[in-house]
């Protein structure tokens, strides 16, 4: 059970997977669970990444409800709206190309406000696709978003190798806005970003996507990409590195989040990580 104020926060990317072969109902949540978020926050972890905010703006009333049903000390990492980070995906959903406007940013901030006011907004995640290269235009766009959301702790996930090719410039841009460079574990291809596990801007943020290389680009169902269960041997080096970072550098927060969600594998791996970090005793 999550308790108290902790620097290290371990959890999963999303909490509701009710359909499909990888559903959590009956696997993570007992049948008849009335509030999955309440169950998650009470019995499992002290943080969660919000996926719904990627697909649509979150109404303030919804965010107030999340804050109300989660215990003290629980924190949300809220994924930014796809219009900000995935314009092509947003255009397909909206049926037209739309520019990001000040009104869009204000509506997004309005959805964050209830969590921030409750002291439960741990971070805002700007997750960009592999097609987001380190071009002049994209660097300017990223800088605009970092400035517009500067009131919040920010994590930036970059996937294309061009960003790590210009590591010093990327670090300087992020650090100038007190944002952290999200470290991702996923199958590596020639175009994939190369990273070390390290904090930036006073925060460490790791996302585990799984290592299902065979299904990463070619799959029948989207959930197949993230269908992967890490072994304890695969997670142990990360736990050791996290402990080393915590021993050597003051941090505001360290988020460790698992996105290999099929059939609750993310929950199993997050629990393993907690044990390896010493947050809970070994079974």
């Amino acid at each position: 059970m999550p308790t108290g104020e902790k620097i290290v926060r371990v959890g999963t990317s999303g909490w509701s997977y009710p359909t499909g072969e990888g559903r959590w109902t009956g696997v993570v949540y007992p049948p008849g669970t009335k509030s999955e978020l309440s169950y998650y926050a009470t019995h499992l972890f002290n943080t969660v990444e919000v996926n719904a905010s990627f697909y649509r703006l979150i109404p303030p009333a919804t965010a107030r409800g999340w804050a109300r049903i989660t215990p003290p000390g629980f924190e949300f990492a809220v994924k930014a709206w796809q219009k900000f980070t995935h314009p092509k995906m947003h255009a397909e959903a909206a049926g037209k190309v739309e520019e990001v406007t000040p009104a869009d940013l204000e509506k997004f901030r309005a959805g964050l406000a209830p969590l921030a006011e409750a002291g439960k907004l741990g971070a805002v995640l700007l997750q960009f696709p592999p097609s987001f290269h380190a071009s002049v235009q994209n660097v300017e766009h990223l800088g605009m978003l970092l400035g517009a959301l500067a009131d919040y702790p920010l994590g930036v996930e970059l996937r294309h190798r061009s960003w790590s090719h210009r590591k010093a410039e990327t670090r300087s841009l992020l650090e100038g806005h007190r944002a952290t460079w999200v470290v991702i574990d996923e199958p590596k291809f020639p175009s994939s970003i190369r990273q070390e596990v390290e904090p930036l801007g006073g925060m460490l943020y790791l996302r585990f996507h799984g290592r299902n290389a065979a299904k990463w680009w070619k799959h029948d169902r989207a959930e197949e990409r993230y269908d992967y269960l890490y072994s304890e041997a695969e997670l142990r080096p990360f736990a050791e590195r996290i402990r080393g970072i915590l021993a050597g550098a003051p941090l505001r927060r360290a988020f460790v989040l698992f996105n290999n969600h099929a059939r609750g594998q993310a929950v199993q791996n997050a629990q393993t990580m907690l044990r390896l970090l010493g947050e809970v005793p070994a079974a």
Side-chain angles (χ1 to χ4, degrees):
M1 183 185 302
T3 57
E5 181 76 1
K6 293 184 181 296
I7 295 296
V8 180
R9 294 181 170 269
V10 180
T12 63
S13 300
W15 69 83
S16 180
Y17 295 97
T19 62
E21 294 183 9
R23 62 186 178 273
W24 287 17
T25 303
V27 178
V28 175
Y29 303 118
T33 298
K34 293 183 178 180
S35 170
E36 292 179 345
L37 177 56
S38 179
Y39 183 97
Y40 176 104
T42 303
H43 298 286
L44 296 175
F45 306 112
N46 63 7
T47 193
V48 74
E49 214 171 59
V50 179
N51 277 331
S53 54
F54 177 77
Y55 297 101
R56 64 194 68 87
L57 290 167
I58 299 301
T62 298
R64 279 193 293 271
W66 292 343
R68 184 178 63 253
I69 66 174
T70 50
F74 190 86
E75 288 189 352
F76 295 84
V78 180
K79 191 181 295 186
W81 189 23
Q82 64 179 356
K83 186 175 184 180
F84 302 159
T85 60
H86 291 63
K88 290 183 179 180
M89 186 180 294
H90 175 75
E92 291 174 0
K96 58 182 178 179
V97 177
E98 297 178 322
E99 296 295 325
V100 175
T101 67
D104 292 330
L105 291 160
E106 185 57 36
K107 290 176 182 178
F108 180 68
R109 285 192 290 262
L112 298 176
L115 299 178
E117 291 166 2
K120 293 186 175 183
L121 180 61
V124 173
L125 171 66
L126 296 168
Q127 177 201 25
F128 291 93
S131 58
F132 190 73
H133 297 192
S135 65
V136 172
Q137 180 180 1
N138 287 341
V139 169
E140 291 177 352
H141 179 72
L142 174 56
M144 180 276 291
L145 290 174
L146 291 172
L149 300 172
D151 291 339
Y152 312 108
L154 298 173
V156 178
E157 179 173 316
L158 301 164
R159 297 191 178 190
H160 191 264
R161 194 167 184 170
S162 56
W163 295 97
S164 52
H165 275 166
R166 59 191 305 277
K167 180 178 179 179
E169 293 87 347
T170 302
R171 282 181 59 91
S172 178
L173 173 62
L174 297 176
E175 201 162 25
H177 292 275
R178 295 196 71 207
T180 195
W181 193 341
V182 175
V183 179
I184 53 177
D185 187 78
E186 62 180 2
K188 294 301 181 186
F189 304 96
S191 63
S192 300
I193 198 165
R194 300 310 197 253
Q195 296 173 283
E196 298 176 359
V197 178
E198 56 186 358
L200 189 68
M203 183 162 64
L204 178 68
Y205 200 131
L206 281 78
R207 302 187 79 219
F208 289 84
H209 294 297
R211 299 177 179 178
N212 193 351
K215 294 288 186 177
W216 196 255
W217 298 117
K218 296 181 180 180
H219 44 258
D220 296 325
R221 303 180 308 279
E223 66 184 8
E224 291 180 330
R225 168 181 281 187
Y226 305 107
D227 189 354
Y228 187 85
L229 181 67
Y230 287 91
S231 69
E232 183 169 321
E234 289 172 322
L235 295 179
R236 187 175 293 109
F238 288 96
E240 292 173 354
R241 175 61 179 148
I242 293 167
R243 288 200 302 268
I245 290 171
L246 293 173
L251 294 179
R252 290 177 288 150
R253 280 289 183 273
F255 288 97
V256 184
L257 292 150
F258 288 84
N259 191 35
N260 54 325
H261 50 74
R263 298 180 303 283
Q265 292 172 134
V267 173
Q268 183 176 338
N269 281 151
Q271 290 172 333
T272 299
M273 179 61 77
L274 279 171
R275 175 168 54 81
L276 291 172
L277 290 171
E279 296 288 323
V280 296

